[in-house]
Amino acid sequence: MNGVRPNILAMKGYVPGEQLNDPDIVKLNTNENPYPPSPRVFEAIRTALTADKLRKYPQPLGDTFRQAAGRVLGVEPDSILIGNGSDDILTILTRTFVPEGGRIVSPTPSYILYRSLAEIQGARFETIRFGEDWKRFSGPWPAPGANLAFLPNPNSPSGTMLPVPVVLKLAGDVNALVLDEAYADFADWNGLALLPRVPNLIVTRSFSKAYSLAGIRFGFAVADPAIVREIVKVKDSYNCDVLSLAAATAAVEDQDYFRGVKTKVLATRERMRRELGELGFEVTPSHANFLWCRRSDRPVKPVYEELKQRKILIRYMNYDGYDGLRISVGTDEEIDRLLAELNTIL
Ligand SMILES: *Cc1c(COP(=O)(O)O)cnc(C)c1O
């Protein structure tokens, strides 16, 4: 293709998880929340649906959202940058910190979008393998001097978290450290408390998982206001629309509802861990809303395929021969069906 940049021609492109439209399907493959968003979200969207609100541009920085989220999280509104999903934030951060020919580092096995972001930017992508327990790395980071590191915490596909000293060590090694906290709402701790003492840390959050709003597309970053003042120059002026801003503001304000959903998801996660273990899976203890499952006695790809034929969609992932199944936490009824089908398959 004439004129296309060579790095774009050379890249394969990120392939998102399958989104099948069959309503009968039990969808446990992309970590969406099985429960609906807060009723206040529906009300807020209805209220935003006026001719005047649709006719005008939305707030460029999402000030109403920033005030609400700032109150809930205990951070300054000026330290928040809004995004069209947290993937948008990851793109903005890449464009801000990484020059063409620069270096991005990330652990593996992890979120595969990071590689695509490096390829689009024309940057080098360097990985380091997690150790067996997912709590350290199997060797030294290739990090010193890297422009940017992406560290998902909890990690996908494992659901595990790195200890704080490992996070701090890495922050000291690179120009900017992005702690991708798409799943932190399900975990016992997160990186917000580290921000005051780690000036090059950027925490990113998503409304797609814990807040049940994957269809709305909303995420945000929290960082030192001095960093926010720079990254704001890179984002599209109106990267979040009036409906997503209304939805996200209502969702973050309804913390009672959020805690109720979280409690249910965590209870089902523990039930899945136990029962999948009894079926012979090696299940990694998870801090997120999914579980990483492997087997030493048989290949797992056929299990994914058999489940798909029975209208249960999970994720089969293969990282250079290290493979496994990533299963999202569903409702208890969905998990009943999953376990019943696994019983007949195995
Ligand atoms: C789902 C996910 C995201 C993207 O979230 P969106 O807000 O839907 O863009 C980012 N990082 C990780 C690790 C994820 O799993």
Side-chain angles (χ1 to χ4, degrees), residues 195-308:
L195 282 169
R197 46 178 179 130
V198 188
N200 64 338
L201 178 66
I202 299 131
V203 170
T204 65
R205 293 286 178 90
S206 171
F207 274 62
S208 302
K209 280 71 185 229
Y211 288 97
S212 312
L213 289 174
I216 276 283
R217 312 304 305 132
F218 194 88
F220 64 97
V222 190
D224 186 326
I227 293 183
V228 173
R229 277 196 293 278
E230 299 306 319
I231 53 184
V232 77
K233 300 175 190 167
V234 178
K235 87 173 186 71
D236 291 343
S237 307
Y238 305 109
N239 60 335
C240 298
D241 62 78
V242 72
L243 300 182
S244 67
L245 282 165
T249 306
V252 81
E253 281 178 335
D254 198 350
Q255 287 294 303
D256 283 345
Y257 182 87
F258 159 74
R259 277 188 287 271
V261 167
K262 175 175 171 176
T263 302
K264 285 196 281 187
V265 168
L266 297 196
T268 307
R269 181 181 78 196
E270 287 324 292
R271 172 193 168 206
M272 287 170 70
R273 189 172 69 86
R274 202 177 54 244
E275 301 198 23
L276 289 165
E278 283 164 12
L279 282 170
F281 288 97
E282 293 152 18
V283 186
T284 305
S286 168
H287 297 266
N289 65 333
F290 55 83
L291 290 162
W292 179 238
C293 307
R294 308 185 70 225
R295 294 188 79 99
S296 47
D297 59 340
R298 58 192 289 166
V300 290
K301 193 170 185 200
V303 176
Y304 153 78
E305 282 159 352
E306 289 263 359
L307 282 173
K308 190 171 172 181

Side-chain angles (χ1 to χ4, degrees), residues 30-31 84-88 90 111 114 152 154 156 180 182-183 205-209 214 217-219 326:
T30 47
N31 303 339
N84 182 28
S86 67
D87 284 349
D88 179 36
L90 302 178
Y111 191 36
Y114 305 140
S156 171
D180 179 345
Y183 301 103
R205 293 286 178 90
S206 171
F207 274 62
S208 302
K209 280 71 185 229
R217 312 304 305 132
F218 194 88
R326 197 191 67 187

Side-chain angles (χ1 to χ4, degrees), residues 17 25 29 41 46 107 121 144 168-169 204 206 212 217 221 235 241 246 265 287 324 333 339:
I25 216 136
N29 69 327
V41 166
R46 274 193 293 268
Q121 195 67 11
L168 295 179
K169 163 82 172 68
T204 65
S206 171
S212 312
R217 312 304 305 132
K235 87 173 186 71
D241 62 78
V265 168
H287 297 266
E333 297 70 40
L339 294 166

Side-chain angles (χ1 to χ4, degrees), residues 93-242:
L93 292 170
T94 304
R95 293 171 68 194
T96 304
F97 285 101
V98 187
E100 200 160 339
R103 290 162 61 214
I104 296 179
V105 296
S106 158
T108 187
S110 189
Y111 191 36
I112 41 196
L113 177 72
Y114 305 140
R115 177 181 291 280
S116 303
L117 293 175
E119 287 170 346
I120 294 167
Q121 195 67 11
R124 265 173 53 202
F125 186 66
E126 298 167 5
T127 57
I128 175 78
R129 287 197 82 80
F130 276 108
E132 284 285 307
D133 62 358
W134 300 93
K135 292 202 173 71
R136 72 200 89 211
F137 300 107
S138 65
W141 271 83
N147 301 94
L148 190 67
F150 284 118
L151 201 63
N153 215 36
N155 183 51
S156 171
S158 58
T160 50
M161 293 185 87
L162 285 166
V164 171
V166 178
V167 175
L168 295 179
K169 163 82 172 68
L170 183 61
D173 275 352
V174 298
N175 290 352
L177 173 65
V178 178
L179 214 47
D180 179 345
E181 294 196 343
Y183 301 103
D185 297 300
F186 299 106
D188 318 326
W189 69 275
N190 61 66
L192 290 181
L194 303 177
L195 282 169
R197 46 178 179 130
V198 188
N200 64 338
L201 178 66
I202 299 131
V203 170
T204 65
R205 293 286 178 90
S206 171
F207 274 62
S208 302
K209 280 71 185 229
Y211 288 97
S212 312
L213 289 174
I216 276 283
R217 312 304 305 132
F218 194 88
F220 64 97
V222 190
D224 186 326
I227 293 183
V228 173
R229 277 196 293 278
E230 299 306 319
I231 53 184
V232 77
K233 300 175 190 167
V234 178
K235 87 173 186 71
D236 291 343
S237 307
Y238 305 109
N239 60 335
C240 298
D241 62 78
V242 72

